[in-house]
Amino acid sequence: MATTLETFQSLFNGNTKNKSYRTDSGKVHTIDWNVDGSRLASGSLDKSVVIFAYDGKGSMVKDRTYREHGEEINQLAWHPSVSHYVATASGDRLVKIFDTRTDRSSTTIETKGENINLAWSPDGTTLAVGNKDDLITFIDVKTSRIIREEQFRYEVNEISWDRTGSLFAVTTGHGSVVFFDAPGIQKEKDKPLEELHCLTAHTGNCICLEFDTTGKYFAVGAADASASIWDVAQLVCLTVLTRIEWAVRGLSFGCQSQLLALASEDPYIEIAKVDTGERVYALKCDAQTLAVAWHPKASILAYVQDDDSGSVRLFGVLD
């Protein structure tokens, strides 16, 4: 009887295809699937946001293009439960929320710096936005008002809530992941956030952070050419992936949180089994990978490379 590892290896070695879709934009920086997998959004160096409609059978068509930002799109993220809202963070100091059923943004919030990262709270009520000066701005989505600004004295690279909404995490330039009391974001706004835990995760700069959809795991990618997988409840490291040779730039859990994909400066995407760290597949690429995103329901990985093609690629079980 085949093991889970062998089943996945057989799937990706024998039944996969690779498709490329032009955005007609510049270099793509960021991608994300919406909650039901019906849309994929991309954000580009040329300031555009492109929405693709996915047909559920392995193909996409371009649905809408937004050109409202004045600088590059550094990160975007879909609402955690509403399938037609996507938020964008740009170097133009603006955060926008787009209702992808319409032709224009529904909300615009001005921040104090060049925005580089963005995260939704699990209940969709709050947006956190980080800028190049390590200032995190918290926005009440219903009122479109800034409710808190938190200035950090160290380099902050990625931000995220855990799936329960009880922890707010940041990755740092010191190789650590710092967890804060998330409910405190809404309380005592004149006081700094309460630090709960500080994990020394890597020897190099911690670049990216991803919580899986089950709430059981989180993964950290670092400049020391490795990625670590952790147990959320115990805050214990389960395994470290060290097969790559360059910095990890992006992470994505997929296939019901059984697999983890790594975007790095290596000429391939590492796909590993979460519980053991074993390699499932190495997807060869023409250039380093900037971002990866598993489809929420299918064995399909979206990814973008560091090239000027303006393309989004799909890899997996495609009809």
Side-chain angles (χ1 to χ4, degrees), residues 4-35:
T4 306
L5 175 64
E6 291 169 338
T7 300
F8 275 126
Q9 289 175 332
S10 175
L11 173 69
F12 287 108
N13 280 302
N15 302 289
T16 52
K17 296 179 181 179
N18 210 317
K19 295 182 179 181
S20 181
Y21 297 88
R22 293 273 303 176
T23 63
D24 294 326
S25 302
K27 183 186 297 182
V28 180
H29 278 178
T30 176
I31 52 174
D32 193 30
W33 292 98
N34 69 350
V35 64

PDB file of all heavy atoms in Angstrom, residues 4-35:
ATOM      1  N   THR A   4       1.457   8.142   2.003  1.00  0.00           N
ATOM      2  CA  THR A   4       0.982   9.461   1.573  1.00  0.00           C
ATOM      3  C   THR A   4       2.033  10.168   0.735  1.00  0.00           C
ATOM      4  O   THR A   4       1.708  10.813  -0.273  1.00  0.00           O
ATOM      5  CB  THR A   4       0.628  10.321   2.799  1.00  0.00           C
ATOM      6  OG1 THR A   4      -0.299   9.620   3.621  1.00  0.00           O
ATOM      7  CG2 THR A   4       0.016  11.642   2.373  1.00  0.00           C
ATOM      8  N   LEU A   5       3.295  10.060   1.143  1.00  0.00           N
ATOM      9  CA  LEU A   5       4.382  10.666   0.372  1.00  0.00           C
ATOM     10  C   LEU A   5       4.425  10.098  -1.034  1.00  0.00           C
ATOM     11  O   LEU A   5       4.509  10.858  -2.015  1.00  0.00           O
ATOM     12  CB  LEU A   5       5.713  10.435   1.075  1.00  0.00           C
ATOM     13  CG  LEU A   5       6.964  10.906   0.319  1.00  0.00           C
ATOM     14  CD1 LEU A   5       6.945  12.416   0.143  1.00  0.00           C
ATOM     15  CD2 LEU A   5       8.235  10.462   1.048  1.00  0.00           C
ATOM     16  N   GLU A   6       4.353   8.786  -1.160  1.00  0.00           N
ATOM     17  CA  GLU A   6       4.408   8.152  -2.476  1.00  0.00           C
ATOM     18  C   GLU A   6       3.204   8.531  -3.328  1.00  0.00           C
ATOM     19  O   GLU A   6       3.326   8.715  -4.548  1.00  0.00           O
ATOM     20  CB  GLU A   6       4.497   6.634  -2.311  1.00  0.00           C
ATOM     21  CG  GLU A   6       5.828   6.161  -1.727  1.00  0.00           C
ATOM     22  CD  GLU A   6       5.789   4.694  -1.324  1.00  0.00           C
ATOM     23  OE1 GLU A   6       4.685   4.152  -1.094  1.00  0.00           O
ATOM     24  OE2 GLU A   6       6.886   4.090  -1.242  1.00  0.00           O
ATOM     25  N   THR A   7       2.052   8.679  -2.696  1.00  0.00           N
ATOM     26  CA  THR A   7       0.850   9.082  -3.432  1.00  0.00           C
ATOM     27  C   THR A   7       1.007  10.480  -4.005  1.00  0.00           C
ATOM     28  O   THR A   7       0.691  10.724  -5.183  1.00  0.00           O
ATOM     29  CB  THR A   7      -0.383   9.037  -2.505  1.00  0.00           C
ATOM     30  OG1 THR A   7      -0.558   7.708  -2.022  1.00  0.00           O
ATOM     31  CG2 THR A   7      -1.634   9.467  -3.247  1.00  0.00           C
ATOM     32  N   PHE A   8       1.517  11.403  -3.204  1.00  0.00           N
ATOM     33  CA  PHE A   8       1.743  12.762  -3.685  1.00  0.00           C
ATOM     34  C   PHE A   8       2.825  12.784  -4.775  1.00  0.00           C
ATOM     35  O   PHE A   8       2.689  13.482  -5.785  1.00  0.00           O
ATOM     36  CB  PHE A   8       2.147  13.680  -2.533  1.00  0.00           C
ATOM     37  CG  PHE A   8       0.991  14.254  -1.769  1.00  0.00           C
ATOM     38  CD1 PHE A   8       0.896  14.107  -0.393  1.00  0.00           C
ATOM     39  CD2 PHE A   8      -0.012  14.963  -2.421  1.00  0.00           C
ATOM     40  CE1 PHE A   8      -0.173  14.640   0.316  1.00  0.00           C
ATOM     41  CE2 PHE A   8      -1.081  15.499  -1.719  1.00  0.00           C
ATOM     42  CZ  PHE A   8      -1.162  15.340  -0.345  1.00  0.00           C
ATOM     43  N   GLN A   9       3.902  12.055  -4.575  1.00  0.00           N
ATOM     44  CA  GLN A   9       4.972  12.014  -5.566  1.00  0.00           C
ATOM     45  C   GLN A   9       4.465  11.469  -6.895  1.00  0.00           C
ATOM     46  O   GLN A   9       4.797  11.991  -7.959  1.00  0.00           O
ATOM     47  CB  GLN A   9       6.139  11.179  -5.045  1.00  0.00           C
ATOM     48  CG  GLN A   9       6.906  11.847  -3.917  1.00  0.00           C
ATOM     49  CD  GLN A   9       7.983  10.955  -3.321  1.00  0.00           C
ATOM     50  OE1 GLN A   9       7.876   9.732  -3.350  1.00  0.00           O
ATOM     51  NE2 GLN A   9       9.023  11.561  -2.780  1.00  0.00           N
ATOM     52  N   SER A  10       3.638  10.448  -6.823  1.00  0.00           N
ATOM     53  CA  SER A  10       3.066   9.882  -8.039  1.00  0.00           C
ATOM     54  C   SER A  10       2.142  10.883  -8.731  1.00  0.00           C
ATOM     55  O   SER A  10       2.150  11.020  -9.956  1.00  0.00           O
ATOM     56  CB  SER A  10       2.293   8.609  -7.690  1.00  0.00           C
ATOM     57  OG  SER A  10       1.635   8.093  -8.823  1.00  0.00           O
ATOM     58  N   LEU A  11       1.360  11.605  -7.919  1.00  0.00           N
ATOM     59  CA  LEU A  11       0.437  12.594  -8.470  1.00  0.00           C
ATOM     60  C   LEU A  11       1.186  13.678  -9.233  1.00  0.00           C
ATOM     61  O   LEU A  11       0.862  13.990 -10.382  1.00  0.00           O
ATOM     62  CB  LEU A  11      -0.376  13.222  -7.331  1.00  0.00           C
ATOM     63  CG  LEU A  11      -1.286  14.397  -7.706  1.00  0.00           C
ATOM     64  CD1 LEU A  11      -2.443  13.923  -8.560  1.00  0.00           C
ATOM     65  CD2 LEU A  11      -1.803  15.094  -6.451  1.00  0.00           C
ATOM     66  N   PHE A  12       2.217  14.251  -8.604  1.00  0.00           N
ATOM     67  CA  PHE A  12       2.905  15.382  -9.221  1.00  0.00           C
ATOM     68  C   PHE A  12       3.880  14.964 -10.309  1.00  0.00           C
ATOM     69  O   PHE A  12       4.220  15.756 -11.186  1.00  0.00           O
ATOM     70  CB  PHE A  12       3.605  16.215  -8.148  1.00  0.00           C
ATOM     71  CG  PHE A  12       2.656  17.025  -7.313  1.00  0.00           C
ATOM     72  CD1 PHE A  12       2.394  16.674  -6.004  1.00  0.00           C
ATOM     73  CD2 PHE A  12       1.997  18.111  -7.847  1.00  0.00           C
ATOM     74  CE1 PHE A  12       1.498  17.404  -5.229  1.00  0.00           C
ATOM     75  CE2 PHE A  12       1.097  18.853  -7.092  1.00  0.00           C
ATOM     76  CZ  PHE A  12       0.850  18.490  -5.779  1.00  0.00           C
ATOM     77  N   ASN A  13       4.334  13.746 -10.303  1.00  0.00           N
ATOM     78  CA  ASN A  13       5.241  13.274 -11.351  1.00  0.00           C
ATOM     79  C   ASN A  13       4.506  12.805 -12.594  1.00  0.00           C
ATOM     80  O   ASN A  13       5.075  12.824 -13.684  1.00  0.00           O
ATOM     81  CB  ASN A  13       6.119  12.137 -10.813  1.00  0.00           C
ATOM     82  CG  ASN A  13       7.292  12.639 -10.001  1.00  0.00           C
ATOM     83  OD1 ASN A  13       8.104  13.412 -10.490  1.00  0.00           O
ATOM     84  ND2 ASN A  13       7.383  12.219  -8.745  1.00  0.00           N
ATOM     85  N   GLY A  14       3.243  12.387 -12.427  1.00  0.00           N
ATOM     86  CA  GLY A  14       2.585  11.768 -13.560  1.00  0.00           C
ATOM     87  C   GLY A  14       1.382  12.461 -14.138  1.00  0.00           C
ATOM     88  O   GLY A  14       0.971  12.162 -15.257  1.00  0.00           O
ATOM     89  N   ASN A  15       0.788  13.402 -13.420  1.00  0.00           N
ATOM     90  CA  ASN A  15      -0.497  13.951 -13.866  1.00  0.00           C
ATOM     91  C   ASN A  15      -0.532  15.472 -13.938  1.00  0.00           C
ATOM     92  O   ASN A  15      -1.616  16.050 -14.010  1.00  0.00           O
ATOM     93  CB  ASN A  15      -1.601  13.490 -12.899  1.00  0.00           C
ATOM     94  CG  ASN A  15      -1.699  11.983 -12.808  1.00  0.00           C
ATOM     95  OD1 ASN A  15      -2.138  11.341 -13.748  1.00  0.00           O
ATOM     96  ND2 ASN A  15      -1.244  11.416 -11.701  1.00  0.00           N
ATOM     97  N   THR A  16       0.611  16.109 -13.908  1.00  0.00           N
ATOM     98  CA  THR A  16       0.619  17.566 -13.810  1.00  0.00           C
ATOM     99  C   THR A  16       0.920  18.248 -15.138  1.00  0.00           C
ATOM    100  O   THR A  16       1.555  17.688 -16.031  1.00  0.00           O
ATOM    101  CB  THR A  16       1.665  18.027 -12.776  1.00  0.00           C
ATOM    102  OG1 THR A  16       2.918  17.409 -13.084  1.00  0.00           O
ATOM    103  CG2 THR A  16       1.243  17.633 -11.380  1.00  0.00           C
ATOM    104  N   LYS A  17       0.449  19.495 -15.207  1.00  0.00           N
ATOM    105  CA  LYS A  17       0.730  20.362 -16.354  1.00  0.00           C
ATOM    106  C   LYS A  17       1.160  21.720 -15.827  1.00  0.00           C
ATOM    107  O   LYS A  17       1.017  22.030 -14.646  1.00  0.00           O
ATOM    108  CB  LYS A  17      -0.515  20.514 -17.231  1.00  0.00           C
ATOM    109  CG  LYS A  17      -0.992  19.227 -17.889  1.00  0.00           C
ATOM    110  CD  LYS A  17      -2.232  19.479 -18.723  1.00  0.00           C
ATOM    111  CE  LYS A  17      -2.739  18.201 -19.360  1.00  0.00           C
ATOM    112  NZ  LYS A  17      -3.979  18.436 -20.153  1.00  0.00           N
ATOM    113  N   ASN A  18       1.668  22.555 -16.722  1.00  0.00           N
ATOM    114  CA  ASN A  18       2.090  23.910 -16.378  1.00  0.00           C
ATOM    115  C   ASN A  18       1.501  24.864 -17.412  1.00  0.00           C
ATOM    116  O   ASN A  18       1.714  24.677 -18.617  1.00  0.00           O
ATOM    117  CB  ASN A  18       3.620  23.998 -16.375  1.00  0.00           C
ATOM    118  CG  ASN A  18       4.133  25.030 -15.388  1.00  0.00           C
ATOM    119  OD1 ASN A  18       3.584  26.115 -15.313  1.00  0.00           O
ATOM    120  ND2 ASN A  18       5.171  24.691 -14.652  1.00  0.00           N
ATOM    121  N   LYS A  19       0.743  25.864 -16.946  1.00  0.00           N
ATOM    122  CA  LYS A  19       0.137  26.844 -17.840  1.00  0.00           C
ATOM    123  C   LYS A  19       0.568  28.252 -17.431  1.00  0.00           C
ATOM    124  O   LYS A  19       0.796  28.514 -16.250  1.00  0.00           O
ATOM    125  CB  LYS A  19      -1.387  26.753 -17.808  1.00  0.00           C
ATOM    126  CG  LYS A  19      -1.951  25.454 -18.340  1.00  0.00           C
ATOM    127  CD  LYS A  19      -3.479  25.485 -18.315  1.00  0.00           C
ATOM    128  CE  LYS A  19      -4.080  24.200 -18.860  1.00  0.00           C
ATOM    129  NZ  LYS A  19      -5.571  24.232 -18.851  1.00  0.00           N
ATOM    130  N   SER A  20       0.664  29.130 -18.409  1.00  0.00           N
ATOM    131  CA  SER A  20       1.078  30.507 -18.157  1.00  0.00           C
ATOM    132  C   SER A  20       0.002  31.468 -18.644  1.00  0.00           C
ATOM    133  O   SER A  20      -0.576  31.274 -19.727  1.00  0.00           O
ATOM    134  CB  SER A  20       2.403  30.792 -18.873  1.00  0.00           C
ATOM    135  OG  SER A  20       2.839  32.106 -18.617  1.00  0.00           O
ATOM    136  N   TYR A  21      -0.260  32.515 -17.840  1.00  0.00           N
ATOM    137  CA  TYR A  21      -1.290  33.500 -18.160  1.00  0.00           C
ATOM    138  C   TYR A  21      -0.708  34.902 -18.071  1.00  0.00           C
ATOM    139  O   TYR A  21      -0.168  35.288 -17.031  1.00  0.00           O
ATOM    140  CB  TYR A  21      -2.480  33.364 -17.199  1.00  0.00           C
ATOM    141  CG  TYR A  21      -3.181  32.036 -17.307  1.00  0.00           C
ATOM    142  CD1 TYR A  21      -2.758  30.945 -16.561  1.00  0.00           C
ATOM    143  CD2 TYR A  21      -4.256  31.871 -18.178  1.00  0.00           C
ATOM    144  CE1 TYR A  21      -3.389  29.716 -16.668  1.00  0.00           C
ATOM    145  CE2 TYR A  21      -4.895  30.646 -18.293  1.00  0.00           C
ATOM    146  CZ  TYR A  21      -4.457  29.574 -17.535  1.00  0.00           C
ATOM    147  OH  TYR A  21      -5.077  28.346 -17.641  1.00  0.00           O
ATOM    148  N   ARG A  22      -0.811  35.643 -19.164  1.00  0.00           N
ATOM    149  CA  ARG A  22      -0.286  37.005 -19.196  1.00  0.00           C
ATOM    150  C   ARG A  22      -1.213  37.962 -18.460  1.00  0.00           C
ATOM    151  O   ARG A  22      -2.431  37.922 -18.608  1.00  0.00           O
ATOM    152  CB  ARG A  22      -0.143  37.473 -20.654  1.00  0.00           C
ATOM    153  CG  ARG A  22       0.904  36.737 -21.453  1.00  0.00           C
ATOM    154  CD  ARG A  22       2.262  37.331 -21.304  1.00  0.00           C
ATOM    155  NE  ARG A  22       2.284  38.737 -21.693  1.00  0.00           N
ATOM    156  CZ  ARG A  22       3.358  39.508 -21.576  1.00  0.00           C
ATOM    157  NH1 ARG A  22       4.470  39.015 -21.063  1.00  0.00           N
ATOM    158  NH2 ARG A  22       3.339  40.774 -21.952  1.00  0.00           N
ATOM    159  N   THR A  23      -0.607  38.848 -17.670  1.00  0.00           N
ATOM    160  CA  THR A  23      -1.379  39.907 -17.032  1.00  0.00           C
ATOM    161  C   THR A  23      -1.407  41.173 -17.888  1.00  0.00           C
ATOM    162  O   THR A  23      -2.169  42.092 -17.599  1.00  0.00           O
ATOM    163  CB  THR A  23      -0.775  40.277 -15.668  1.00  0.00           C
ATOM    164  OG1 THR A  23       0.548  40.801 -15.861  1.00  0.00           O
ATOM    165  CG2 THR A  23      -0.713  39.054 -14.757  1.00  0.00           C
ATOM    166  N   ASP A  24      -0.529  41.238 -18.907  1.00  0.00           N
ATOM    167  CA  ASP A  24      -0.322  42.465 -19.689  1.00  0.00           C
ATOM    168  C   ASP A  24       0.148  43.598 -18.792  1.00  0.00           C
ATOM    169  O   ASP A  24      -0.153  44.774 -19.017  1.00  0.00           O
ATOM    170  CB  ASP A  24      -1.596  42.871 -20.449  1.00  0.00           C
ATOM    171  CG  ASP A  24      -1.959  41.859 -21.525  1.00  0.00           C
ATOM    172  OD1 ASP A  24      -1.028  41.275 -22.114  1.00  0.00           O
ATOM    173  OD2 ASP A  24      -3.154  41.642 -21.764  1.00  0.00           O
ATOM    174  N   SER A  25       0.857  43.227 -17.741  1.00  0.00           N
ATOM    175  CA  SER A  25       1.394  44.191 -16.786  1.00  0.00           C
ATOM    176  C   SER A  25       2.893  43.958 -16.648  1.00  0.00           C
ATOM    177  O   SER A  25       3.471  43.097 -17.314  1.00  0.00           O
ATOM    178  CB  SER A  25       0.710  44.028 -15.423  1.00  0.00           C
ATOM    179  OG  SER A  25      -0.690  44.202 -15.538  1.00  0.00           O
ATOM    180  N   GLY A  26       3.526  44.719 -15.782  1.00  0.00           N
ATOM    181  CA  GLY A  26       4.945  44.534 -15.525  1.00  0.00           C
ATOM    182  C   GLY A  26       5.195  43.336 -14.631  1.00  0.00           C
ATOM    183  O   GLY A  26       4.318  42.495 -14.410  1.00  0.00           O
ATOM    184  N   LYS A  27       6.381  43.262 -14.091  1.00  0.00           N
ATOM    185  CA  LYS A  27       6.764  42.154 -13.221  1.00  0.00           C
ATOM    186  C   LYS A  27       5.761  41.996 -12.080  1.00  0.00           C
ATOM    187  O   LYS A  27       5.430  42.933 -11.376  1.00  0.00           O
ATOM    188  CB  LYS A  27       8.155  42.405 -12.658  1.00  0.00           C
ATOM    189  CG  LYS A  27       8.694  41.276 -11.781  1.00  0.00           C
ATOM    190  CD  LYS A  27      10.013  41.682 -11.140  1.00  0.00           C
ATOM    191  CE  LYS A  27      11.084  41.930 -12.176  1.00  0.00           C
ATOM    192  NZ  LYS A  27      12.381  42.282 -11.542  1.00  0.00           N
ATOM    193  N   VAL A  28       5.261  40.769 -11.899  1.00  0.00           N
ATOM    194  CA  VAL A  28       4.281  40.496 -10.856  1.00  0.00           C
ATOM    195  C   VAL A  28       5.004  40.269  -9.533  1.00  0.00           C
ATOM    196  O   VAL A  28       5.927  39.460  -9.442  1.00  0.00           O
ATOM    197  CB  VAL A  28       3.415  39.279 -11.212  1.00  0.00           C
ATOM    198  CG1 VAL A  28       2.393  39.011 -10.114  1.00  0.00           C
ATOM    199  CG2 VAL A  28       2.704  39.496 -12.554  1.00  0.00           C
ATOM    200  N   HIS A  29       4.572  40.976  -8.502  1.00  0.00           N
ATOM    201  CA  HIS A  29       5.181  40.884  -7.173  1.00  0.00           C
ATOM    202  C   HIS A  29       4.450  39.927  -6.244  1.00  0.00           C
ATOM    203  O   HIS A  29       5.043  39.271  -5.393  1.00  0.00           O
ATOM    204  CB  HIS A  29       5.187  42.261  -6.493  1.00  0.00           C
ATOM    205  CG  HIS A  29       6.317  43.128  -6.907  1.00  0.00           C
ATOM    206  ND1 HIS A  29       6.465  44.419  -6.437  1.00  0.00           N
ATOM    207  CD2 HIS A  29       7.363  42.914  -7.725  1.00  0.00           C
ATOM    208  CE1 HIS A  29       7.553  44.962  -6.969  1.00  0.00           C
ATOM    209  NE2 HIS A  29       8.103  44.065  -7.753  1.00  0.00           N
ATOM    210  N   THR A  30       3.119  39.872  -6.363  1.00  0.00           N
ATOM    211  CA  THR A  30       2.307  39.220  -5.342  1.00  0.00           C
ATOM    212  C   THR A  30       1.088  38.570  -5.970  1.00  0.00           C
ATOM    213  O   THR A  30       0.521  39.104  -6.940  1.00  0.00           O
ATOM    214  CB  THR A  30       1.880  40.248  -4.261  1.00  0.00           C
ATOM    215  OG1 THR A  30       1.015  39.624  -3.306  1.00  0.00           O
ATOM    216  CG2 THR A  30       1.186  41.438  -4.868  1.00  0.00           C
ATOM    217  N   ILE A  31       0.674  37.407  -5.433  1.00  0.00           N
ATOM    218  CA  ILE A  31      -0.513  36.710  -5.907  1.00  0.00           C
ATOM    219  C   ILE A  31      -1.266  36.136  -4.714  1.00  0.00           C
ATOM    220  O   ILE A  31      -0.683  35.879  -3.666  1.00  0.00           O
ATOM    221  CB  ILE A  31      -0.175  35.569  -6.892  1.00  0.00           C
ATOM    222  CG1 ILE A  31       0.890  34.642  -6.289  1.00  0.00           C
ATOM    223  CG2 ILE A  31       0.238  36.104  -8.252  1.00  0.00           C
ATOM    224  CD1 ILE A  31       1.185  33.412  -7.121  1.00  0.00           C
ATOM    225  N   ASP A  32      -2.576  35.903  -4.903  1.00  0.00           N
ATOM    226  CA  ASP A  32      -3.366  35.289  -3.837  1.00  0.00           C
ATOM    227  C   ASP A  32      -4.679  34.790  -4.418  1.00  0.00           C
ATOM    228  O   ASP A  32      -5.281  35.445  -5.272  1.00  0.00           O
ATOM    229  CB  ASP A  32      -3.638  36.307  -2.721  1.00  0.00           C
ATOM    230  CG  ASP A  32      -4.167  35.658  -1.446  1.00  0.00           C
ATOM    231  OD1 ASP A  32      -3.811  34.499  -1.182  1.00  0.00           O
ATOM    232  OD2 ASP A  32      -4.916  36.332  -0.707  1.00  0.00           O
ATOM    233  N   TRP A  33      -5.118  33.583  -3.963  1.00  0.00           N
ATOM    234  CA  TRP A  33      -6.431  33.046  -4.301  1.00  0.00           C
ATOM    235  C   TRP A  33      -7.461  33.563  -3.307  1.00  0.00           C
ATOM    236  O   TRP A  33      -7.162  33.740  -2.130  1.00  0.00           O
ATOM    237  CB  TRP A  33      -6.429  31.525  -4.207  1.00  0.00           C
ATOM    238  CG  TRP A  33      -5.606  30.797  -5.220  1.00  0.00           C
ATOM    239  CD1 TRP A  33      -4.351  30.302  -5.047  1.00  0.00           C
ATOM    240  CD2 TRP A  33      -5.993  30.448  -6.555  1.00  0.00           C
ATOM    241  NE1 TRP A  33      -3.920  29.668  -6.186  1.00  0.00           N
ATOM    242  CE2 TRP A  33      -4.910  29.738  -7.138  1.00  0.00           C
ATOM    243  CE3 TRP A  33      -7.149  30.663  -7.309  1.00  0.00           C
ATOM    244  CZ2 TRP A  33      -4.961  29.248  -8.433  1.00  0.00           C
ATOM    245  CZ3 TRP A  33      -7.194  30.177  -8.615  1.00  0.00           C
ATOM    246  CH2 TRP A  33      -6.115  29.477  -9.167  1.00  0.00           C
ATOM    247  N   ASN A  34      -8.687  33.756  -3.774  1.00  0.00           N
ATOM    248  CA  ASN A  34      -9.747  34.104  -2.835  1.00  0.00           C
ATOM    249  C   ASN A  34     -10.208  32.862  -2.081  1.00  0.00           C
ATOM    250  O   ASN A  34      -9.743  31.745  -2.339  1.00  0.00           O
ATOM    251  CB  ASN A  34     -10.904  34.831  -3.526  1.00  0.00           C
ATOM    252  CG  ASN A  34     -11.696  33.934  -4.471  1.00  0.00           C
ATOM    253  OD1 ASN A  34     -11.308  32.807  -4.776  1.00  0.00           O
ATOM    254  ND2 ASN A  34     -12.825  34.437  -4.942  1.00  0.00           N
ATOM    255  N   VAL A  35     -11.117  33.042  -1.137  1.00  0.00           N
ATOM    256  CA  VAL A  35     -11.445  31.992  -0.176  1.00  0.00           C
ATOM    257  C   VAL A  35     -12.042  30.745  -0.819  1.00  0.00           C
ATOM    258  O   VAL A  35     -11.809  29.623  -0.339  1.00  0.00           O
ATOM    259  CB  VAL A  35     -12.381  32.545   0.927  1.00  0.00           C
ATOM    260  CG1 VAL A  35     -13.727  32.975   0.352  1.00  0.00           C
ATOM    261  CG2 VAL A  35     -12.559  31.538   2.042  1.00  0.00           C
TER     262      VAL A  35
END
